Each structure stands twice: as C-alpha cells, then as structure tokens.
Amino acid sequence: MNAPAVEVTETAHRRSGGRLGRKAMRGAPIASFPALIRQIPAYQMVPDEAVELIHQESLLILEEVGCEFRDDEAIALWKAAGADVSETRVRIDRALLMELVSKVPPEFTLNARNPERTVRVGGKNSIFVPMYGAPYVRDLDNNRRYGSLADLNNFHKLAYMAPALHSSSSVICEPMEIAVPKRHLHIIHSALKHSDKPFMGIVTSKERAEDTMAMAGIVFGEEFVRDNPVLVSITNCNSPLVWDATMLDAMKVYARSNQPLILAPFALCGASTSASAVGAVAQVNAEALAGVAFTQLLRPGSPQIYGQFMVTVDMKTGAPMGGTPEAAQMMYLMGALARKYRLPWRTSGFHVGSKLNDAQAGYEANMLMHAAILAGANYIWHSAGWLEAGLTCGYSKFATDCEQLVGWYKYAGGLPFDDFKEAMAAIREVGPQGHFLGTQHTLEHFESAFFMPSIMDFNSFEQWKAEGAKDHDTRGREKARNMLADYEEPKLDEGIAEGLKDLIARREEKLPDTIS
Amino acid sequence: MADDEIILSELSDDELVQQMHDDLYDGLKEEIEEGTQILLERGWAPYKVLTEALVEGMRIVGEDFRDGILFVPEVLLSANAMKAGMFILRPLLAATGAPKQGKMVIGTVKGDIHDIGKNLVGMMMEGAGFDVIDLGINNAVEKYLDAIEQHQPDIIGMSALLTTTMPYMKVVIDTMKEKGIRDDYVVLVGGAPLNEEFGKAVGADAYCRDAAVAVETAKDFMKRKHNVRIS
Ligand code: B12
C-alpha cells in the first residue's frame, strides 16, 4: 500500500570521482581472467561400466586392427618399444599402451610471454582458445571474403582484449595474400606481436614447426623453450586409424621440446567413423591414445592433451555439422575417459555450421559449449569466431563468443556463498512487497552478481527501435569494431621485436615464393 | 508390392525400364545387372540401355539427392548399382562406337590428405556413367601426368581442402601447359576453400562446389566435346 516508488537504504558514503571516476572504473579493460578453475562437478552421462566397455573396445582395436604410423622413424621407435609392427601398421598391446599413456602429466603450465597470462591446463584448470584455420572471414561490413593479414592481426587483437580467452591461437584466419612458404612466419609473428597470451604452433611441415620454435626461442629464450611449454599444436589423426607423415614430423619437433600436442582426432562421424556415437568414441579414443603413447616415445613425461573433436556428418551433403546432440553426448564420454586416464583433454565448443551469426549459430554453439563445460574439458578450443564448419571466421561471431565465454567462465566457476549472509539480511530488510534495486546489498553486488552481456539486447522495444532495430549479427560487428578502436598493443621488448623481424627476413630470403 | 513378386524377365520393355529406375533408386546391384542383360538380350542397343534405363534412373536419383529426399549412403548404393550395369555395357559400348560417357582421373593434390569430398565426387561421377580413375591423396604433378598418359581421360579432377595446398593445382595445370597438353583435357577443381575466382586464377576449366555440380559440369563438357567432333 505505502511502498515508496524507489527505496534507497542507507548506502556507503564515499566519493568515487563522479562521472569521470565512474567511467574510468567501468571502462577499465580487464586484459585477462586467470585460467578457469572449475568449481562444478563434471557430469558423467553413462555409468562407469559403459566407460570401461568403451575403453576395452579401444584397446582391442589397437591390439587387433592396429593403427598406421606412416613414417620410418615413427615405425623404428615403435619397433624398439616392442610393438607388433608390420610395414606401417602398428599393433600395440594394452600393457605397453597404458604404460606410455601413464607417463603424461595430468596438468601442466603453459607459459605466456607476459607471466600474468601464464595458465595451468589439466585437472580442474580449463582454458578457452579462439578458432583456427579459416580460409574465409565474414568481415566488419558483413562480406564473406578470403582472410588477409590485416584480418589476422585484428583477430589477434580481439583475442588479446577478450578477458575469457586464454590464448591467441595462431592462424585464426588465413592471411591469403602471403605466399604459402612464408605465411607461417607472419602468422606466428602476428600472434606474438598483438597479444601476450599463449599461442599455437604451425604443423603443416617439419620446417615450419622448426621456424615456429625458433620464433618462440627469440621471445622466451632458446634454453627455456627446450623444456617449458609455451605453445600448443594440433596434430590430427586421419581417421580411421592413420597418423600421417606430416603430422608425425610436427609431433617430433614439438614433443621433443616438451611442447604439448593436441591428440584429439577430428572425426566426421558417419564418414570417418561408424554411424554410432559410442562406436565413434571407441575408435577416436583408440586413435587419441595411440597418438598420446607415441609422443611418450619421443619424450617420456612430455605434457600432452588428449581428446576429441567429433562432429556428425550431414548425410544430405557429406559436410560436417555443428551443434548436434550426439556431438554433445560424445563429449561426455570422452571426458569420462580422460578422467579415467588422468589426462588433460581438449574438446571444441562454439563450433557451428551456420553461415551467419544467427539463431542457428546461437543454438548450435550453446548445445556444444554447455556440454564442453559440464564434461569438464581443459582445453576448449574453437571457442571464438567459428562459422561454416571452420571455413569462416566471423567478426560478429568472434565478439559474441568472447562475451558469452565470460558467462561460461562464471557458470563453471561455481556458485559463491560468500555473501549469502548479506543476501539473507537484505531479504529481512526489504520484507514482503518491496524491491531490492536500491538496497546496499544490491549496490555492492549488482555489477558482479549477474552476467551483463553488452551485445545481447534487453531494452524496451521502443528503445531498440530508436537505436536502429539492429539484429544480433549487426550488434556483434559493432562490438568488434569498437573493441578494435580501443586496442592498445601490449609491450614487447625492443630487442625481441627486432630479433623476430630479423629471423623473418632471413627465412624469407631462403624460402621460395611458390610451392612446388 | 513386395519385390520378390517381380520377375524382371516377365515385364514388358517399358515396365522393365521403369522397374530398373526403381531398382537403381533402391540401390539393387544384382537386379540392375539382370535388367541390363535382359534388355541386351531383347536386342536393345547398349547405348539405348545406358541412356534410357541407367542414366535416366540416375537422373532421378540425382534430383532427389539434390532435394534432400535421398541421403549420401543411399546415393552411393545407387551409384554402385549403376556401376555394375556400366561394367556390362562398357565393352559393348566401345565395340559399337557409341558416344563415350567420358573418363575422369581424380585425385587430391600434393601435401593434402583430405579425401571425403573427392571420394564423393568420384562415386557420383561413376554413378553418372563416367569411368573414374582415383589417384587417392597427396598427388604430385608426375602422378597426374602418368595417369593422363596411361588412361587417356577426358577430364582431370583435382581436390584440395587446405589453403596451403590449393596453389598446387596451378603447378599441375602449368606443367600441362608446358607439355602442350593442357587444352586436350577438361580440368575441374574443387574443395571447400576454393571458389570460382580461384578456379579461374589457376587456369581450370571450372570450379564445382559439390558432387552434383561436378556431374552436371562434366556432362556439359562431354556434350560440347561430342558436338565439336560432329561439326
Ligand atoms: C574432415 C576434415 C579433416 C579430416 C580429413 C579426413 C579425410 N579423410 O578427408 C582430418 C581430420 C584428417 C583433417 C586434417 C587436417 N585438416 Co581438415 N578439415 C576437415 C573438414 C572439417 C571437412 C572437410 C570435408 O571432408 N568436408 C565434407 C566434404 C563432403 O566436402 P568437401 O571436401 O568440401 O567436398 C565437396 C566439394 O568441395 C566438392 N569437391 C571436393 N573435391 C573436389 C574435386 C573436384 C574435382 C570437384 C569437381 C569437386 C570437389 O565436392 C565435394 C562433395 O560435395 C574441413 C572444414 C570444412 N568445413 O570443410 C577441415 C579443414 C579443411 N582442415 C583444415 C586443417 C587446418 C587441417 C589440418 C592441417 C589440421 C591439423 N593441424 O592437423 C590437417 C591436415 C592434414 C594434412 N596432412 O593434410 C582447415 C583448412 C584450413 C586452411 N586454412 O587451410 C579446415 C578448413 C578446418 C579448419 N578451420 O581448421 N581435416
């Protein structure tokens, strides 16, 4: 009856600097969150016996069918380790396999060039990593075109600015105008220059992997990068059951320097695995374990990332799909296996088939990220930008993903009880029929209590219309544009910057302009 | 009607051709072999069997694939049945001097191991009656040249899924030019990161966005080739 229009309880009495002060406080960029420490349990979708059954079947695949390792040195290493080898086919018995797998540390530290951005990966520690490999971009004007170095620079800048991204990836999009033999140098340079977060290596040839290590050496010190993880690289199994020479070459370079590899087969389920979610997991698990075991022949005890990137295939075209329920279910199975093996593990998130940052993209992304989080993944990669099954990186999608990651970071960080008492006091203070918008508790907590995304629009219809009735895709692009306008490059020691430039110049002199 | 009630040899020509269209649709290899034999025994010219029974049947399959009624595994089954019919017809077609459906050499270029798309294209081409020689993955220019010499194809198909390997298509085409054989063949290129412009830039005859377009384009080029010969 007599409830006042706005109720303001007694509030803290202090000056904040008025408009300017508040603006500075709200506008202060947070460069990065620490690695996420999961405070929610991992969800196990199937009983332990089912996990065990899949594990046993994977072991049988490697014992009976075996796996191809198409490289002489790899074959020699397997022979020396006592595996059953015929030509390039390697059959690995379970004792040998599990002994090798058990050498991998359950957690490791991934060093960044700025020590404040250094993260832990494994156990309860998880990181989000932006996408990789897009030939195309959907640009700030909503055009789809081949990526350029300017785009790549932009995505590295955005990755640097996004608080919930813990890595700059590497080739977020392809700088198509640069000659292929020289391209890797500029990709790595862009990541190192525009961001100070950990990054990813190049794997398309041994020489390019070595160049990546040389560049890392300039930044971190040659000694340091021989033993300490500073970059993570993806080597894909060619499912079913083939590790090819290119990937094995890259593995040799990186694992021998203690640089973690991701052994997480990218399987088009239904095309490169059987059309069964559990069957696909048994196969991919076998492939991943074989890859992990091989790295331990290269360097026992080297940190590695086990896992999967499994999508289902669109039987109308053969193309990979995005957020299907089975893709989510398979994440839970792989997560349970990873915990059984005590391995850090990777899965994807936010990887969609949609062409635009639209409703399809939103549904797909959410289906997968929710599962990745609940499944307890440690290296959640392809977490920003991904459209069209990886063919395109979208600015709008990138900005949206970065913002949504802040939400997922919070979600997985668990529910804080630290202000529970105060919250209970607030309900007593307000009583029936009042509201909480003006209470001291609300004032103190509103900024952190609930996620406040800026690209999502919750305005009144009229306000939204007055602002141009913009759809989500448009708002995402605007956000990306604004972020880029605010970007400030992180400091890089001048000697290091020169060193990188010198190395690139020297290598470019030697490398040809065309592939042959 | 349950299929075991149908006795192919008891059907009239028209009924049999209709039935073969259905059997192709259902991917029934043995029934297609049988139907092909029956039509030949009834004195049909091999070319007539090919066009009216098989190619027409696969046209229907292709249409429903395009419209999302049939799915990849089903189409592969149909293509396989078609291939079985073709196997019977091929020597007879050659002997009677019938216009060739065409021969294609296809492979993924050097440095690249992606082959799901290429395999689909190969199978769909076979389904359309083409003779397909699949070179597999990771093919250097020499492999294409050897295959050209050995198989004398009408069409060269190259696939690449990596931006780092797609420029290799130009290496192959330039080498063909150097050898003065470029214009003797139709060169089709494909793979998700490619596009029309890129296809032109490397000097291909056409870029095809998917397997169905590849079949249509290949048929088109074969038609033009035949027309040129006639005029
Ligand atoms: C499946 C897949 C793989 C599988 C391949 C399995 C196999 N046996 O082919 C695996 C996991 C092994 C793999 C490995 C790698 N991949 Co891959 N892969 C893909 C993926 C997801 C789908 C490709 C596919 O099969 N599509 C389905 C088929 C049906 O479509 P399609 O190939 O486009 O073919 C159709 C048309 O293009 C056309 N067509 C195709 N070929 C031809 C040929 C002719 C003549 C004609 C007329 C038409 C035609 O018709 C086809 C049928 O309709 C793509 C992303 C994407 N969305 O395309 C990435 C992608 C191509 N891969 C990529 C990368 C980076 C790699 C790796 C380097 C990753 C790594 N670090 O390990 C390795 C390379 C390994 C090597 N040595 O080459 C990048 C390429 C990026 C780039 N900038 O170059 C992509 C874009 C994904 C990404 N964003 O990272 N990959």
mmCIF file with all atom_site columns, all heavy atoms in Angstrom, chain A residues 94-104:
data_model
loop_
_atom_site.group_PDB
_atom_site.id
_atom_site.type_symbol
_atom_site.label_atom_id
_atom_site.label_alt_id
_atom_site.label_comp_id
_atom_site.label_asym_id
_atom_site.label_entity_id
_atom_site.label_seq_id
_atom_site.pdbx_PDB_ins_code
_atom_site.Cartn_x
_atom_site.Cartn_y
_atom_site.Cartn_z
_atom_site.occupancy
_atom_site.B_iso_or_equiv
_atom_site.pdbx_formal_charge
_atom_site.auth_seq_id
_atom_site.auth_comp_id
_atom_site.auth_asym_id
_atom_site.auth_atom_id
_atom_site.pdbx_PDB_model_num
ATOM 1  N N   . ARG A 1 94  ? 47.975 -53.698 -24.708 1.00 0.00 ? 94  ARG A N   1
ATOM 2  C CA  . ARG A 1 94  ? 47.445 -52.763 -23.719 1.00 0.00 ? 94  ARG A CA  1
ATOM 3  C C   . ARG A 1 94  ? 48.444 -52.376 -22.648 1.00 0.00 ? 94  ARG A C   1
ATOM 4  O O   . ARG A 1 94  ? 48.436 -51.245 -22.154 1.00 0.00 ? 94  ARG A O   1
ATOM 5  C CB  . ARG A 1 94  ? 46.158 -53.318 -23.105 1.00 0.00 ? 94  ARG A CB  1
ATOM 6  C CG  . ARG A 1 94  ? 46.284 -54.667 -22.427 1.00 0.00 ? 94  ARG A CG  1
ATOM 7  C CD  . ARG A 1 94  ? 44.915 -55.218 -22.121 1.00 0.00 ? 94  ARG A CD  1
ATOM 8  N NE  . ARG A 1 94  ? 44.147 -55.481 -23.352 1.00 0.00 ? 94  ARG A NE  1
ATOM 9  C CZ  . ARG A 1 94  ? 42.830 -55.574 -23.399 1.00 0.00 ? 94  ARG A CZ  1
ATOM 10 N NH1 . ARG A 1 94  ? 42.117 -55.413 -22.302 1.00 0.00 ? 94  ARG A NH1 1
ATOM 11 N NH2 . ARG A 1 94  ? 42.219 -55.840 -24.525 1.00 0.00 ? 94  ARG A NH2 1
ATOM 12 N N   . ALA A 1 95  ? 49.332 -53.317 -22.290 1.00 0.00 ? 95  ALA A N   1
ATOM 13 C CA  . ALA A 1 95  ? 50.289 -53.001 -21.230 1.00 0.00 ? 95  ALA A CA  1
ATOM 14 C C   . ALA A 1 95  ? 51.230 -51.889 -21.703 1.00 0.00 ? 95  ALA A C   1
ATOM 15 O O   . ALA A 1 95  ? 51.445 -50.896 -20.997 1.00 0.00 ? 95  ALA A O   1
ATOM 16 C CB  . ALA A 1 95  ? 51.078 -54.254 -20.848 1.00 0.00 ? 95  ALA A CB  1
ATOM 17 N N   . LEU A 1 96  ? 51.767 -52.056 -22.900 1.00 0.00 ? 96  LEU A N   1
ATOM 18 C CA  . LEU A 1 96  ? 52.671 -51.042 -23.456 1.00 0.00 ? 96  LEU A CA  1
ATOM 19 C C   . LEU A 1 96  ? 51.941 -49.708 -23.619 1.00 0.00 ? 96  LEU A C   1
ATOM 20 O O   . LEU A 1 96  ? 52.427 -48.649 -23.229 1.00 0.00 ? 96  LEU A O   1
ATOM 21 C CB  . LEU A 1 96  ? 53.208 -51.524 -24.807 1.00 0.00 ? 96  LEU A CB  1
ATOM 22 C CG  . LEU A 1 96  ? 54.035 -50.508 -25.611 1.00 0.00 ? 96  LEU A CG  1
ATOM 23 C CD1 . LEU A 1 96  ? 55.285 -50.084 -24.848 1.00 0.00 ? 96  LEU A CD1 1
ATOM 24 C CD2 . LEU A 1 96  ? 54.424 -51.090 -26.979 1.00 0.00 ? 96  LEU A CD2 1
ATOM 25 N N   . LEU A 1 97  ? 50.751 -49.771 -24.178 1.00 0.00 ? 97  LEU A N   1
ATOM 26 C CA  . LEU A 1 97  ? 49.977 -48.557 -24.429 1.00 0.00 ? 97  LEU A CA  1
ATOM 27 C C   . LEU A 1 97  ? 49.744 -47.784 -23.136 1.00 0.00 ? 97  LEU A C   1
ATOM 28 O O   . LEU A 1 97  ? 50.041 -46.591 -23.032 1.00 0.00 ? 97  LEU A O   1
ATOM 29 C CB  . LEU A 1 97  ? 48.625 -48.917 -25.068 1.00 0.00 ? 97  LEU A CB  1
ATOM 30 C CG  . LEU A 1 97  ? 47.747 -47.717 -25.385 1.00 0.00 ? 97  LEU A CG  1
ATOM 31 C CD1 . LEU A 1 97  ? 48.171 -47.079 -26.705 1.00 0.00 ? 97  LEU A CD1 1
ATOM 32 C CD2 . LEU A 1 97  ? 46.271 -48.097 -25.455 1.00 0.00 ? 97  LEU A CD2 1
ATOM 33 N N   . MET A 1 98  ? 49.217 -48.491 -22.135 1.00 0.00 ? 98  MET A N   1
ATOM 34 C CA  . MET A 1 98  ? 48.839 -47.781 -20.920 1.00 0.00 ? 98  MET A CA  1
ATOM 35 C C   . MET A 1 98  ? 50.063 -47.323 -20.125 1.00 0.00 ? 98  MET A C   1
ATOM 36 O O   . MET A 1 98  ? 50.012 -46.313 -19.441 1.00 0.00 ? 98  MET A O   1
ATOM 37 C CB  . MET A 1 98  ? 47.898 -48.641 -20.049 1.00 0.00 ? 98  MET A CB  1
ATOM 38 C CG  . MET A 1 98  ? 46.539 -48.914 -20.681 1.00 0.00 ? 98  MET A CG  1
ATOM 39 S SD  . MET A 1 98  ? 45.786 -47.517 -21.574 1.00 0.00 ? 98  MET A SD  1
ATOM 40 C CE  . MET A 1 98  ? 45.408 -46.409 -20.231 1.00 0.00 ? 98  MET A CE  1
ATOM 41 N N   . GLU A 1 99  ? 51.159 -48.064 -20.270 1.00 0.00 ? 99  GLU A N   1
ATOM 42 C CA  . GLU A 1 99  ? 52.379 -47.625 -19.597 1.00 0.00 ? 99  GLU A CA  1
ATOM 43 C C   . GLU A 1 99  ? 52.838 -46.284 -20.193 1.00 0.00 ? 99  GLU A C   1
ATOM 44 O O   . GLU A 1 99  ? 53.211 -45.370 -19.470 1.00 0.00 ? 99  GLU A O   1
ATOM 45 C CB  . GLU A 1 99  ? 53.469 -48.693 -19.780 1.00 0.00 ? 99  GLU A CB  1
ATOM 46 C CG  . GLU A 1 99  ? 54.713 -48.408 -18.962 1.00 0.00 ? 99  GLU A CG  1
ATOM 47 C CD  . GLU A 1 99  ? 55.951 -48.991 -19.616 1.00 0.00 ? 99  GLU A CD  1
ATOM 48 O OE1 . GLU A 1 99  ? 55.887 -50.164 -20.057 1.00 0.00 ? 99  GLU A OE1 1
ATOM 49 O OE2 . GLU A 1 99  ? 56.954 -48.259 -19.714 1.00 0.00 ? 99  GLU A OE2 1
ATOM 50 N N   . LEU A 1 100 ? 52.797 -46.189 -21.506 1.00 0.00 ? 100 LEU A N   1
ATOM 51 C CA  . LEU A 1 100 ? 53.203 -44.938 -22.152 1.00 0.00 ? 100 LEU A CA  1
ATOM 52 C C   . LEU A 1 100 ? 52.244 -43.803 -21.790 1.00 0.00 ? 100 LEU A C   1
ATOM 53 O O   . LEU A 1 100 ? 52.664 -42.701 -21.436 1.00 0.00 ? 100 LEU A O   1
ATOM 54 C CB  . LEU A 1 100 ? 53.265 -45.122 -23.670 1.00 0.00 ? 100 LEU A CB  1
ATOM 55 C CG  . LEU A 1 100 ? 54.416 -45.994 -24.182 1.00 0.00 ? 100 LEU A CG  1
ATOM 56 C CD1 . LEU A 1 100 ? 54.215 -46.353 -25.651 1.00 0.00 ? 100 LEU A CD1 1
ATOM 57 C CD2 . LEU A 1 100 ? 55.759 -45.297 -23.983 1.00 0.00 ? 100 LEU A CD2 1
ATOM 58 N N   . VAL A 1 101 ? 50.957 -44.096 -21.861 1.00 0.00 ? 101 VAL A N   1
ATOM 59 C CA  . VAL A 1 101 ? 49.949 -43.062 -21.575 1.00 0.00 ? 101 VAL A CA  1
ATOM 60 C C   . VAL A 1 101 ? 50.115 -42.535 -20.142 1.00 0.00 ? 101 VAL A C   1
ATOM 61 O O   . VAL A 1 101 ? 49.946 -41.339 -19.874 1.00 0.00 ? 101 VAL A O   1
ATOM 62 C CB  . VAL A 1 101 ? 48.524 -43.606 -21.822 1.00 0.00 ? 101 VAL A CB  1
ATOM 63 C CG1 . VAL A 1 101 ? 47.464 -42.657 -21.282 1.00 0.00 ? 101 VAL A CG1 1
ATOM 64 C CG2 . VAL A 1 101 ? 48.302 -43.858 -23.318 1.00 0.00 ? 101 VAL A CG2 1
ATOM 65 N N   . SER A 1 102 ? 50.476 -43.428 -19.227 1.00 0.00 ? 102 SER A N   1
ATOM 66 C CA  . SER A 1 102 ? 50.558 -43.026 -17.814 1.00 0.00 ? 102 SER A CA  1
ATOM 67 C C   . SER A 1 102 ? 51.723 -42.072 -17.551 1.00 0.00 ? 102 SER A C   1
ATOM 68 O O   . SER A 1 102 ? 51.821 -41.487 -16.482 1.00 0.00 ? 102 SER A O   1
ATOM 69 C CB  . SER A 1 102 ? 50.669 -44.254 -16.914 1.00 0.00 ? 102 SER A CB  1
ATOM 70 O OG  . SER A 1 102 ? 51.946 -44.837 -17.093 1.00 0.00 ? 102 SER A OG  1
ATOM 71 N N   . LYS A 1 103 ? 52.625 -41.952 -18.511 1.00 0.00 ? 103 LYS A N   1
ATOM 72 C CA  . LYS A 1 103 ? 53.765 -41.039 -18.317 1.00 0.00 ? 103 LYS A CA  1
ATOM 73 C C   . LYS A 1 103 ? 53.375 -39.562 -18.493 1.00 0.00 ? 103 LYS A C   1
ATOM 74 O O   . LYS A 1 103 ? 54.120 -38.664 -18.132 1.00 0.00 ? 103 LYS A O   1
ATOM 75 C CB  . LYS A 1 103 ? 54.875 -41.359 -19.326 1.00 0.00 ? 103 LYS A CB  1
ATOM 76 C CG  . LYS A 1 103 ? 55.565 -42.700 -19.106 1.00 0.00 ? 103 LYS A CG  1
ATOM 77 C CD  . LYS A 1 103 ? 56.693 -42.851 -20.122 1.00 0.00 ? 103 LYS A CD  1
ATOM 78 C CE  . LYS A 1 103 ? 57.139 -44.280 -20.299 1.00 0.00 ? 103 LYS A CE  1
ATOM 79 N NZ  . LYS A 1 103 ? 57.878 -44.814 -19.148 1.00 0.00 ? 103 LYS A NZ  1
ATOM 80 N N   . VAL A 1 104 ? 52.238 -39.318 -19.099 1.00 0.00 ? 104 VAL A N   1
ATOM 81 C CA  . VAL A 1 104 ? 51.831 -37.939 -19.379 1.00 0.00 ? 104 VAL A CA  1
ATOM 82 C C   . VAL A 1 104 ? 51.363 -37.260 -18.095 1.00 0.00 ? 104 VAL A C   1
ATOM 83 O O   . VAL A 1 104 ? 50.532 -37.805 -17.380 1.00 0.00 ? 104 VAL A O   1
ATOM 84 C CB  . VAL A 1 104 ? 50.684 -37.912 -20.415 1.00 0.00 ? 104 VAL A CB  1
ATOM 85 C CG1 . VAL A 1 104 ? 50.205 -36.488 -20.681 1.00 0.00 ? 104 VAL A CG1 1
ATOM 86 C CG2 . VAL A 1 104 ? 51.121 -38.586 -21.712 1.00 0.00 ? 104 VAL A CG2 1
#
